[in-house]
Amino acid sequence: MIVVKSQRELDKMRRAGEVVAKIHHKLAQIIRPGITTRELDRIAEEIIRKEGAIPSFKGFPCAYGGIDFPGSICTSINNQVIHGIPGDTVLSEGDIISIDAGAILDGYHGDAARTYPVGKISDEAQKLITVTEEAFRRGMACAVEGNRIVDISTAIQEYVESQGYSVVRDFVGHGIGTQMHEEPQIPNYRTRERGPRILNGMTLAIEPMVNIGTWQVRILSDNWTVVTADGKLSAHHENTIAVTPDGPEILTRLY
Ligand code: MG
C-alpha cells in the first residue's frame, strides 16, 4: 500500500529531512584525509541525538544473516557501493566516500546520501560524482503526478548509460514515511512493470547508485558492505522528496 501524506505529515517529514541535511552539512566540512569513518559516525549520531531524533540505520536488521547495523550512517569508500560499516578505516587523499544518513523525528523518517571527495580526487572520480548527482536530478524531475515510477527509473538509467556508466540493479529507491522503506520500490533502471502512478503527497527516496564499470555487485563477508563486482568506483546520491502540485520538493535540505 502506498501512503499519501497530508500537509501535516509533510511538515513532519521536512523536519526529519532537515536533521539529515544537517548531518551532511557538517560532514561535508570535516571529511578529509586522516579521519576515520568511526569519527564521522560519532559526529553524525551526535547531531541526530541533539535534534531529538533517532538514527534510522542503527540496529537495522541485516537481510543476509549478519549483525544488526552498528552505525548511525553508512560509510562506503571507493568500490564500496552502499552499506559500508563505520570503523577504523582512515580516509586517504583521493578516496571518494558515500555517506548515507537516516533519522526518525516525531515518527517520520528522512533519508539522504551524498558522495564526497577526500582531498584532491581524479577527474574520473569527480565525473562519476557529478553524473550521479545529475542522475538524481533527472529522476526527481519525473516525480510529478500523472507519471509512473518507471518514468523516474528510465530517466536515471538513460542518463547514466549515456555517460558510459551503469546503474546498480540489486538495490533500489523506495517510498518513505513512518517506515524507512515503504512502497513503492523505485528501481534505477527500467523494468517490465511500469510501477504505480505517481500522486501528489507521495514521499519518495530517489537514490541512483552509479558504477563506472559493471552494474554487478557482491556483498562482503560482513554481510553488509556492497562492493562493485569489478572493483571499480561507485557513487550514490539520494534525497527524500515529496510530490507536490508545484513539482517535486526536496525534504532533506536545510530550511
Ligand atoms: Mg534510501
Side-chain angles (χ1 to χ4, degrees), residues 57 100 111-112 172-174 176 180-181 205-207 209 236 238 240:
F57 300 167
D100 198 345
D111 186 6
V172 299
H174 49 94
I176 179 170
M180 185 162 66
H181 298 124
I206 297 174
E207 50 176 319
M209 292 153 244
H236 186 198
E238 174 185 35
T240 301

Side-chain angles (χ1 to χ4, degrees), residues 1-21:
M1 187 188 66
I2 297 175
V3 184
V4 170
K5 276 77 175 178
S6 66
Q7 282 306 326
R8 195 176 138 270
E9 290 179 296
L10 289 181
D11 279 338
K12 290 188 177 196
M13 291 195 63
R14 288 183 185 102
R15 298 205 346 263
E18 188 173 25
V19 174
V20 175

Side-chain angles (χ1 to χ4, degrees), residues 52-119:
I54 300 165
S56 305
F57 300 167
K58 198 163 201 169
F60 202 83
C62 183
Y64 304 98
I67 56 166
D68 293 350
F69 196 78
S72 293
I73 55 173
C74 301
T75 52
S76 309
I77 301 169
N78 296 335
N79 63 314
Q80 299 177 348
V81 180
I82 48 170
H83 300 168
I85 299 175
D88 296 328
T89 306
V90 179
L91 298 188
S92 300
E93 180 93 21
D95 285 344
I96 59 172
I97 180 168
S98 301
I99 305 275
D100 198 345
I104 318 166
L105 184 66
D106 204 8
Y108 287 82
H109 289 262
D111 186 6
R114 313 263 182 269
T115 300
Y116 297 99
V118 181

Side-chain angles (χ1 to χ4, degrees), residues 128 131-132 134-136 138 154-168 188 208-211:
L128 175 67
V131 166
T132 306
E134 178 63 16
F136 163 80
R138 291 184 183 220
T154 302
I156 291 171
Q157 181 179 21
E158 284 185 352
Y159 175 67
V160 168
E161 293 182 353
S162 79
Q163 300 302 303
Y165 297 155
S166 66
V167 287
V168 171
N188 295 306
M209 292 153 244
V210 177
N211 296 351

